Amino acid sequence: MPIRFYQKLSQYTGLLLLGAIFGIVAFTAKLEVRDLDLWLHLGTGKYITENKVIPKVDILSCSIQGKPWVNHEWLFQVIAYGIYEKWNAEGLLMMQVFVVTVAMLFLLFIGYSSSRQLIVSVFLFMVYFIFQQRFTIRPDIFSLMFFAMYIYVLALHLDKKWSVPLLFLAQVFWVNIH
């Protein structure tokens, strides 16, 4: 058979595998709310939204209430509460699917080439298995997304004049989300 046939077969197989990977990612990221810290994040997000201030002391604990607290995840808490208030737990799960999918897309774009789809798919599948346990509604998923975006911009777009302002803006959000 001609070599072109095998190239096309490899290309379509790679695309099919990539589609399967993203389907699995979307499915497993939307399975359940399984992190108990979520309720702390939602409660603090509600407090920040209602009072327009980031608490400097613990406001939700019964044992250490009033003790100094550096809330370094305040932006995640505000975002999560806003989504929860508007769309309930389903909205939070959709946020999780969106953030995880964007992170995986950045990782895909770093190494993607139509001639090596299979190897990129295998590595992406390995990344999925490594980070699958971290696909919870926590600030961590944003860290995975921002890290993947950083690597993507640094590897492929550092010579563009928009790259440094984008990285700066991303860093400002990243620091306040996680």
Side-chain angles (χ1 to χ4, degrees):
M1 292 206 172
I3 194 150
R4 183 141 172 83
F5 170 78
Y6 289 111
Q7 288 174 336
K8 285 291 185 187
L9 181 65
S10 174
Q11 184 178 7
Y12 291 129
T13 305
L15 287 175
L16 186 64
L17 186 56
L18 285 173
I21 290 170
F22 279 94
I24 291 170
V25 166
F27 175 75
T28 57
K30 193 178 186 284
L31 280 179
E32 62 183 329
V33 176
R34 56 184 166 175
D35 184 60
L36 298 179
D37 285 350
L38 176 62
W39 308 113
L40 166 76
H41 293 305
L42 291 175
T44 307
K46 180 179 180 179
Y47 178 87
I48 294 169
T49 302
E50 290 175 350
N51 297 296
K52 309 290 189 250
V53 65
I54 301 169
K56 304 253 187 269
V57 296
D58 194 320
I59 55 168
L60 298 174
S61 175
C62 65
S63 59
I64 58 171
Q65 188 171 15
K67 299 285 185 186
W69 177 37
V70 178
N71 187 4
H72 58 89
E73 298 168 333
W74 69 270
L75 186 54
F76 169 78
Q77 294 164 343
V78 169
I79 292 169
Y81 176 70
I83 290 172
Y84 183 76
E85 187 177 42
K86 187 161 180 119
W87 294 293
N88 298 318
E90 185 67 24
L92 291 172
L93 289 170
M94 293 310 295
M95 174 196 72
Q96 177 175 280
V97 169
F98 175 78
V99 171
V100 168
T101 302
V102 168
M104 295 295 279
L105 280 171
F106 277 126
L107 293 174
L108 170 67
F109 294 152
I110 289 169
Y112 184 77
S113 169
S114 61
S115 63
R116 58 176 184 223
Q117 286 178 349
L118 188 58
I119 190 82
V120 170
S121 299
V122 168
F123 279 111
L124 203 57
F125 202 61
M126 288 190 310
V127 167
Y128 160 75
F129 272 116
I130 292 168
F131 288 108
Q132 176 186 9
Q133 294 300 318
R134 301 307 301 173
F135 293 166
T136 58
I137 303 171
R138 299 181 53 86
D140 300 16
I141 59 171
F142 283 94
S143 286
L144 175 62
M145 181 187 73
F146 283 122
F147 180 70
M149 186 200 76
Y150 254 72
I151 298 300
Y152 172 73
V153 171
L154 290 174
L156 301 175
H157 299 289
L158 193 56
D159 58 335
K160 313 281 190 321
K161 65 180 180 179
W162 53 262
S163 65
V164 173
L166 176 69
L167 291 177
F168 174 78
L169 189 62
Q171 186 66 47
V172 168
F173 280 101
W174 190 358
V175 164
N176 290 293
I177 286 179
H178 189 227

